[in-house]
Amino acid sequence: MGTLLWFVGVFTLLTVPTSGHLLEKNSATPLIDYAVRLVNGPDIAQGRLEMLVQGVWGTVCDDGFDDLDAQVACYSLGFNELQGTFQGNAYGPGSGPIYFSQFDCIGTEGVLDDCPHAPLGTTVNCTHDNDVSIACVGTGYPMRLVGGSTGFDGRVELQYRGVWGTICDDSFGIEEAEVVCYSLGFGRQGLPAINSYGQGTGPILLDDLLCLGTEENIGYCEHPPWGTHNCQHTEDAAVSCSDTVSSGPDVATRIAGGPSPNEGRLEMYFGGEWGTVCDNGFRDVEAQVACNNLGFDPGQGTFLGNQYGPGTGGIYLDNVVCTGTEEVLVNCEHSVIGSSNCTHSQDVSLSCVGATSYDVRLVGSVNPEEGRVEIFYRGQWGTVCDDSFTGRSAQVVCNTLGYGYTGRALGNQFGPGTGTIWLDDVLCEGSESNLGHCPHSPWGTHNCQHSEDVSITCSPVDVAVRLMGGTNANEGRIEAFFNGEWGTVCDTGFGQTEAAVGCTSLGFNQGQGNFLGNQFGPGTGRIFLDQVNCDGDELSLNECNHTAIGQNTCSHNNDVSISCVGTGYPTRLVGGIFPSDGRLEIFYRGVWGTVCDDLFTDVEAQVACAGLGYSRGIGRFTGNSAGTGQIWLDQLACGGFETNVGSCAHAFWGENDCTHTEDVAISCSTSTGTMYPVRLMGSDGLQAQNSGRLEYYILGSWGTVCDTGFSDLDAQVACYSLGFNQFEGTYIGQTHGPGTGTALLDNAGCTGNEVMIDDCAHSIWGAASCDHSTDVSISCVGPWPAMPVRLVNPNSNSSNPTQGRLEIQYYGTWGTVCDDAFTTSDVRVACASLGFGYIGSFIPNTFGAGVGQIWLDEVNCLGNELNIGLCGHNNWGEHNCLHSEDTAISCV
């Protein structure tokens, strides 16, 4: 029997677009991409054709089979397009099912199932003597190695259906590497090289490969359907086709575990993980190359054995042999990356000579504290790509430049650089001594343009601060939020001036604050600031002189406590229907700004409401309401106990990735009631302004309220719903006499915080058991008219035009009036509300549609009311109208 060639996979149903898909060749759309193989032929390109259906190999009957069908079969096997020959039954009978017959291809299809054929399993008068054999032209699936410095190492890529793609490293081992190397002409040798040659692009063609090691091509190994995977390009497989190499990717390198940046355990970053170097053959000359690789003085370095102990992760390099002229360690001769017989007890330690490695600078700004980041490597300045670059990476750069661990990324603010882009995908923890020691893609390996060159500022970041442990919101232990954790401030040198700045940064009165020693006890976590020395005009402690963030000689017994004067960060709600609803805004550094909704939940809303004076536990996130200007806060994370959202954990003040479409809106109300029309009536039978008998309008009729249990709290809520001041109102018994109609409400029990009387506890509407001798009268406080009315006329310069679109303000929000059932009586009342007297006429709306709330519909005035809002009408805000029906009137 000749060479066994097979291409295996589980069949899958595929739906593909008309272009740009792995299986696309012309306009045909494959139904099932059956696995195919050639068996029993004399070489790779010919043999008996077999197909895999539901895990069982079977054959194809030669009934109607011709060269066009052979061409399609060959193409699906990775051979040359439009070349293939039907060989009759040259390679003998197979076994198992005979799956297909009567293929009728035109030769341009992508896979055999694109061609017309008899239904699966339908073969007439076929036996295995009729099994199809074919001959193909070419070498099967083309392959290449990408990203290596020699022809025998690199990222594995292969071509399928005319498209180059990568292979996922899941299950990719020695057998798979040997098949790759064999198909590339290196013989049956080779080893996997982790993900050492960077990320590819385009499709990931193969995953979960399972080779025997004897296959002619990686595409003939067992694997899931082409293009089926659960991988990212960070998992792209790479190989080395030599037993030893003298090249490799110029990966991130660092010294760890030592007493200084100059000495420690040598570590390298491959495939997203730090690992070590084995000491087999390692000498001073190798240490010198490694030190040069790390940016230290060339030609100087000492091998220290295993002095700084074992590391973790992979052991990436072994048997390293350098001449001393190499610039980077991977250019020395060494075993295949990741191939070692060492343990971590053999991890290399070394000592280097020179200043801090890898010089960095900021370019493009007149301010030396900010600019485009550039790094010096191999004698050349180059830039850093902004992919994955965060505030922690910026802080490492700033510390290297002498500013301490402070700073933040500014995107590409200072424009593109030139020359080499040295670093990409930088992932600093924030404690590294130099940017080059952070995890990153191999030096010079990136997928960026200079338009992505990162800029930073080393100006002190404006971090979140809070007071903890005090007896009230104005005093406590001061804590700051850096890199995702709260920490404290040491009292060395701390005094009244520093306390005043601390209070200013907390939103309290500027220039007022007292240092209370360690009155509120020790905190936990890191001690971030020490030796703070302020002038007094700073706006945050981080702007004062202090030691580098996190550097101190203190214990938590030295944690600073302070007391402040004022109310903390002012907040407000803007643009809501009720004063208790709206867009959340916070006042900081003299400017009102908004809050981004990233991570924002009801917990943050409840803290915001508590800061506004509402009860604890009240508040919910209601969505978005776009503001303007500064977005002050992002990534808010409150614990629920804070007195103000500014004291919650959050990103640096003013640092966000939001637009105003993400501005937070909240509600500090528990209101679910109905806004029934309400009025005050005098004992003379006419409407009253601030004092009168309380009446509600339900189902087309006015009715009264019974005094059972009625108190000033109920009066306050009723007055608020009439447009008067909140939390002001007095129950005055039956001063304005009995009313008429139905006694609508009884047993009211308000707390005073409600928006409308229907939010309060009460008996069922219309079920009161009182007579009119108990009708409630109340007195309210506030300006008149309590529900302001206006005419909107874009063509008039007057502040009080005589004609225009009619609008009314309720609960602080302007809205329009629908024209349904609107009559002359309604017009007269509206004009009287505006001070023109009981005159006027209804006119077509030539003043444009309004926006926002439609407050009134089905208005039913008698003609003598004091205000259009006091007429009978549907419940406030209930309507079936569009703004094209907004009412317009003339009061001439």
Side-chain angles (χ1 to χ4, degrees):
M1 180 178 292
T3 303
L4 171 66
L5 272 185
W6 47 280
F7 154 46
V8 65
V10 180
F11 74 88
T12 182
L13 290 172
L14 295 174
T15 303
V16 298
T18 57
S19 64
H21 191 277
L22 298 179
L23 300 181
E24 190 274 333
K25 182 183 174 188
N26 57 13
S27 61
T29 302
L31 298 177
I32 300 176
D33 187 15
Y34 293 108
V36 290
R37 69 181 182 185
L38 296 180
V39 177
N40 208 35
D43 58 41
I44 187 173
Q46 51 190 329
R48 182 176 61 252
L49 178 63
E50 295 191 356
M51 304 181 72
L52 185 71
V53 178
Q54 294 184 345
V56 179
W57 287 104
T59 60
V60 176
C61 180
D62 63 4
D63 186 9
F65 206 92
D66 60 17
D67 286 349
L68 293 175
D69 308 311
Q71 290 173 18
V72 175
C74 289
Y75 185 61
S76 70
L77 281 158
F79 292 102
N80 293 357
E81 187 176 1
L82 302 178
Q83 297 188 53
T85 307
F86 173 44
Q87 299 287 301
N89 320 109
Y91 300 108
S95 59
I98 302 173
Y99 285 128
F100 290 102
S101 67
Q102 300 178 27
F103 277 107
D104 187 17
C105 303
I106 62 175
T108 60
E109 294 85 353
V111 296
L112 280 171
D113 199 45
D114 277 338
C115 305
H117 56 76
L120 175 65
T122 303
T123 57
V124 180
N125 299 323
C126 293
T127 69
H128 282 297
D129 291 333
N130 302 100
D131 287 345
V132 163
S133 294
I134 63 174
C136 303
V137 177
T139 58
Y141 308 106
M143 299 188 64
R144 65 187 181 189
L145 299 180
V146 178
S149 57
T150 70
F152 51 75
D153 61 346
R155 182 178 61 251
V156 182
E157 296 188 357
L158 77 163
Q159 191 181 68
Y160 182 64
R161 306 284 191 260
V163 176
W164 284 99
T166 62
I167 298 174
C168 181
D169 66 1
D170 292 349
S171 303
F172 196 94
I174 294 175
E175 291 82 2
E176 289 71 31
E178 288 178 346
V179 173
V180 169
C181 292
Y182 179 79
S183 65
L184 289 166
F186 295 111
R188 299 240 178 238
Q189 62 182 28
L191 290 168
I194 318 177
N195 315 107
S196 305
Y197 297 93
Q199 301 177 27
T201 58
I204 298 174
L205 293 173
L206 295 179
D207 188 18
D208 295 319
L209 276 164
L210 182 58
C211 299
L212 300 175
T214 58
E215 294 85 357
E216 305 283 332
N217 188 287
I218 199 73
Y220 302 148
C221 298
E222 184 176 347
H223 58 78
W226 289 89
T228 302
H229 63 86
N230 59 353
C231 305
Q232 304 293 324
H233 277 297
T234 55
E235 302 171 79
D236 287 344
V239 300
S240 173
C241 295
S242 174
D243 291 332
T244 61
V245 296
S246 57
S247 65
D250 192 359
V251 298
T253 309
R254 71 179 183 186
I255 292 176
S260 73
N262 292 61
E263 67 177 70
R265 183 178 55 254
L266 179 62
E267 296 188 354
M268 308 183 76
Y269 189 75
F270 283 95
E273 183 182 10
W274 288 103
T276 60
V277 177
C278 181
D279 63 2
N280 286 334
F282 211 91
R283 304 160 298 166
D284 285 350
V285 66
E286 286 75 34
Q288 291 166 15
V289 173
C291 289
N292 185 48
N293 194 166
L294 284 157
F296 292 103
D297 292 354
Q300 299 191 58
T302 306
F303 172 46
L304 299 179
N306 320 111
Q307 181 172 329
Y308 293 105
T312 59
I315 300 174
Y316 292 131
L317 291 186
D318 191 12
N319 299 309
V320 182
V321 179
C322 302
T323 65
T325 60
E326 299 86 352
E327 290 187 306
V328 295
L329 199 62
V330 290
N331 283 352
C332 301
E333 185 175 305
H334 54 78
S335 298
V336 172
I337 296 170
S339 175
S340 169
N341 60 356
C342 305
T343 68
H344 281 296
S345 63
Q346 298 169 266
D347 288 344
V348 163
S349 294
L350 49 71
S351 174
C352 301
V353 177
T356 303
S357 55
Y358 310 122
D359 288 339
V360 290
R361 67 184 183 186
L362 300 180
V363 179
S365 172
V366 296
N367 183 351
E369 295 182 351
E370 61 186 16
R372 181 177 62 254
V373 179
E374 297 191 353
I375 189 165
F376 192 73
Y377 186 64
R378 292 195 177 191
Q380 180 181 349
W381 287 101
T383 61
V384 178
C385 182
D386 64 3
D387 292 349
S388 304
F389 200 94
T390 67
R392 295 190 180 194
S393 300
Q395 289 163 26
V396 171
V397 174
C398 292
N399 184 60
T400 303
L401 290 167
Y403 297 110
Y405 286 100
T406 185
R408 65 185 188 274
L410 298 177
N412 320 109
Q413 182 169 323
F414 293 101
T418 58
T420 302
I421 299 175
W422 273 130
L423 296 181
D424 189 17
D425 296 318
V426 180
L427 296 169
C428 298
E429 295 177 359
S431 59
E432 294 87 352
S433 60
N434 190 283
L435 190 67
H437 298 161
C438 299
H440 56 76
S441 297
W443 290 89
T445 301
H446 61 85
N447 58 354
C448 306
Q449 305 292 323
H450 277 297
S451 59
E452 300 171 77
D453 288 344
V454 78
S455 297
I456 68 168
T457 177
C458 295
S459 299
V461 291
D462 207 355
V463 300
V465 287
R466 68 182 183 186
L467 295 178
M468 294 294 290
T471 57
N472 60 56
N474 290 56
E475 63 183 15
R477 181 179 58 255
I478 189 166
E479 297 187 354
F481 189 74
F482 281 95
N483 291 337
E485 64 178 315
W486 288 101
T488 60
V489 179
C490 181
D491 63 3
T492 306
F494 207 93
Q496 294 295 102
T497 302
E498 289 71 33
V501 173
C503 289
T504 299
S505 71
L506 283 156
F508 292 103
N509 295 357
Q510 189 167 2
Q512 298 186 53
N514 291 309
F515 172 46
L516 301 180
N518 321 111
Q519 180 173 329
F520 296 107
T524 59
R526 297 177 64 191
I527 300 173
F528 285 127
L529 295 181
D530 189 17
Q531 300 180 32
V532 181
N533 182 15
C534 304
D535 295 327
D537 56 358
E538 299 89 348
L539 296 177
S540 74
L541 284 176
N542 204 28
E543 293 179 2
C544 304
N545 292 322
H546 56 76
T547 57
I549 302 297
Q551 293 184 9
N552 62 84
T553 57
C554 307
S555 72
H556 281 297
N557 292 327
N558 302 103
D559 288 345
V560 163
S561 294
I562 63 174
S563 68
C564 303
V565 177
T567 57
Y569 310 105
T571 52
R572 67 183 182 186
L573 298 179
V574 179
I577 292 177
F578 306 120
S580 55
D581 303 334
R583 179 177 62 256
L584 178 60
E585 296 189 352
I586 189 166
F587 191 72
Y588 188 65
R589 296 198 170 201
V591 176
W592 285 101
T594 61
V595 178
C596 180
D597 65 4
D598 293 347
L599 304 182
F600 201 93
T601 69
D602 287 349
V603 173
E604 287 69 38
Q606 289 166 16
V607 172
C609 290
L612 288 160
Y614 293 93
S615 300
R616 283 280 175 186
I618 291 177
R620 66 186 189 277
F621 172 43
T622 58
N624 305 104
S625 172
T628 58
Q630 181 71 50
I631 299 175
W632 271 131
L633 296 181
D634 189 19
Q635 306 287 329
L636 266 174
C638 299
F641 56 83
E642 298 87 353
T643 58
N644 189 290
V645 288
S647 297
C648 299
H650 56 76
F652 304 139
W653 286 90
E655 183 171 294
N656 61 80
D657 59 353
C658 307
T659 66
H660 280 295
T661 59
E662 301 170 79
D663 287 345
V664 160
I666 66 172
S667 173
C668 297
S669 169
T670 57
S671 175
T672 58
T674 301
M675 292 185 284
Y676 295 113
V678 58
R679 70 183 182 184
L680 297 179
M681 295 295 292
S683 56
D684 57 2
L686 299 177
Q687 280 193 355
Q689 293 185 2
N690 295 65
S691 179
R693 183 177 60 253
L694 179 62
E695 295 188 359
Y696 286 90
Y697 187 79
I698 296 180
L699 298 176
S701 298
W702 290 99
T704 60
V705 177
C706 180
D707 68 358
T708 306
F710 205 90
S711 70
D712 286 349
L713 293 175
D714 308 305
Q716 290 171 18
V717 175
C719 289
Y720 187 43
S721 67
L722 278 158
F724 293 104
N725 296 352
Q726 191 174 14
F727 308 123
E728 295 189 70
T730 307
Y731 167 49
I732 56 174
Q734 288 76 43
T735 302
H736 294 282
T740 59
T742 303
L744 292 172
L745 189 65
D746 194 8
N747 296 307
C750 301
T751 66
N753 290 315
E754 295 86 354
V755 173
M756 63 199 75
I757 202 119
D758 196 39
D759 287 329
C760 304
H762 57 76
S763 300
I764 297 173
W765 284 95
S769 58
C770 310
D771 60 43
H772 285 295
S773 65
T774 60
D775 286 348
V776 163
S777 293
I778 63 173
S779 176
C780 302
V781 178
W784 180 265
M787 301 175 214
V789 179
R790 69 184 181 188
L791 295 180
V792 178
N793 185 340
N795 302 316
S796 173
N797 294 322
S798 172
S799 60
N800 190 23
T802 57
Q803 58 182 13
R805 182 178 66 249
L806 178 62
E807 296 190 352
I808 187 168
Q809 189 183 60
Y810 192 55
Y811 285 116
T813 298
W814 287 100
T816 61
V817 179
C818 182
D819 63 8
D820 292 350
F822 209 83
T823 67
T824 300
S825 294
D826 308 321
V827 174
R828 291 174 180 271
V829 172
C831 289
S833 304
L834 288 159
F836 295 114
Y838 289 95
I839 61 173
S841 58
F842 180 68
I843 61 174
N845 183 5
T846 60
F847 308 101
V851 294
Q853 187 71 45
I854 298 175
W855 270 133
L856 298 181
D857 189 21
E858 303 290 345
V859 178
N860 181 17
C861 298
L862 298 176
N864 61 354
E865 291 87 352
L866 299 175
N867 186 288
I868 190 77
L870 301 176
C871 298
H873 54 77
N874 283 358
N875 300 327
W876 287 90
E878 292 186 8
H879 61 85
N880 60 354
C881 306
L882 301 172
H883 279 296
S884 58
E885 302 171 76
D886 287 344
T887 294
I889 64 173
S890 171
C891 294
V892 176

